[in-house]
Amino acid sequence: MDLDVIRRGIDALREYDTDLDLFGAREHRYRFQPPLDEATLEDVETRIGVRFPADYRAFLTRLGNGGAGPYYGVHGVRPDASWTRFGPFPFTEEWEPPTDDEGYDEAMEAAFEGLLPVSEHGCGYRSHLVVNGPAAGQVWGDWTCVGEALAPQAESFGAWYHGWLEASLREVLSERIEATVRDETGWNVDRRLLGLLPPPLVGGDEKPEVQVPRLVRRAYLALYERRTDDARDLLAQARAVGAEGDHEAARLALARAVLLREEGRITDALTTVEHAIPRNGWWYDRAWLHRLRVELLLTQNRLDDAHAATEEHIARCPNDDFGYVRRALLRVLTDSPSAAEEVLRADAPLGRGVRSAGHPRPADRTPVALRLRARRLAWECRRWGHAADAPRFDAIAAH
């Protein structure tokens, strides 16, 4: 287990997943608990009669006694717990619980000998580290709460953790690149991490709902790297898959409109977006389409139409912060920055963020929303030729 790779990976997730959207991130927040000292860990091992695997020991003593990791995070070890000695875990292959009542309790109790819970999946599912028995060192998944199997997940704690880290970086980086290209936020992604993005499809067995998102994500990566022809080919492949679901259709329409925008075909991009909005039933997908629609109208300097589209955006996607930022921006673009500030402050209690500004969504998020929207508004001012008005909103964001 490479502790330096883990530290860098967790730092990258913390930087890029600012809305804590990855599963379980709002529990562990990409933070480790203070490490456990060696003497305390050895005392626990003495009481349970086994020595933990070396990779798990390194995690506890050098990274943290629990914290950032798969599912809802890695469990730490409680030195003050009522520990009992661990017997050997009896299995080396997948095991399913008995289906009859006779002997059920005894079988279940014996099945969990030698297992140390290391992570909660939610809904009663868990991951366990085998600390005694022929499978010692492996991580096993536990789905017995719904009558399903107890089965191996990884050959070691380190492999289990690194697998989660790589998959998480792929997901988060893919979404960050999409957001960067879609919204032109000016964010950058560490190019050393781009190799973690999903590889090209190699077979034809994937379902359309898997193939389409992967192809669309690779198209956004191509646009991020200014490979427009490759992006066009990838979107053509995605259309050929033929997925008919609302979500896939919206993602394809949005990506095609972004491609048209990058080619300078603003009118065609706008037509694509306006055709897709009423056909899509997912409010979350509609939010992205509405954002792009307003941007394209602003590009054409159609301020009245942009104002009407912004109000429709807010009415149909009231949780999306971007709508409120654009409402204030339009006041700036009509030479009224003081009115823009009033609108920004009045709208601060509204909306919930929807992956738009990067915040932990506290119960009272009004101050957070105000600062983050002001930061975005300052950026938009510079983008749309009103750089002189940006410091007013930078000052709000700094408080």
Side-chain angles (χ1 to χ4, degrees), residues 105-176:
D105 291 341
E106 292 81 1
M108 291 296 290
E109 183 175 352
F112 286 85
E113 282 285 352
L115 293 183
L116 179 72
V118 289
S119 186
E120 300 288 333
H121 305 195
C123 301
Y125 308 147
R126 294 182 177 87
S127 290
H128 299 268
L129 178 63
V130 183
V131 295
N132 196 4
Q138 296 178 3
V139 175
W140 282 51
D142 170 20
W143 297 274
T144 58
C145 63
V146 291
E148 296 183 4
L150 186 64
Q153 278 189 294
E155 282 300 308
S156 67
F157 177 85
W160 175 72
Y161 196 97
H162 277 287
W164 166 81
L165 184 63
E166 181 174 332
S168 299
L169 282 165
R170 285 182 178 180
E171 180 177 347
V172 168
L173 291 173
S174 293
E175 292 190 354
R176 172 52 64 91

Side-chain angles (χ1 to χ4, degrees), residues 245-313:
D246 279 354
H247 183 54
E248 289 77 23
R251 295 197 70 173
L252 273 170
L254 184 62
R256 174 166 169 73
V258 170
L259 172 62
L260 292 168
R261 181 196 68 191
E262 293 301 299
E263 293 176 332
R265 298 165 60 186
I266 304 302
T267 300
D268 291 339
L270 187 56
T271 299
T272 299
V273 169
E274 291 183 333
H275 181 64
I277 286 174
R279 295 170 52 227
N280 186 261
W282 287 42
W283 72 268
Y284 180 76
D285 291 324
R286 280 203 309 271
W288 297 112
L289 291 165
H290 278 288
R291 292 181 185 188
L292 184 55
R293 179 191 188 189
V294 174
E295 177 197 324
L296 294 169
L297 289 168
L298 289 172
T299 300
Q300 294 181 325
N301 201 31
R302 295 164 57 184
L303 297 186
D304 289 342
D305 291 335
H307 175 79
T310 295
E311 294 306 312
E312 182 181 348
H313 179 185

Side-chain angles (χ1 to χ4, degrees), residues 176-200:
R176 172 52 64 91
I177 285 173
E178 284 192 39
T180 299
V181 175
R182 268 194 315 254
D183 298 325
E184 292 192 288
T185 55
W187 294 330
N188 291 313
V189 171
D190 187 339
R191 301 193 68 82
R192 294 173 299 175
L193 300 174
L194 294 181
L196 295 172
L197 289 168

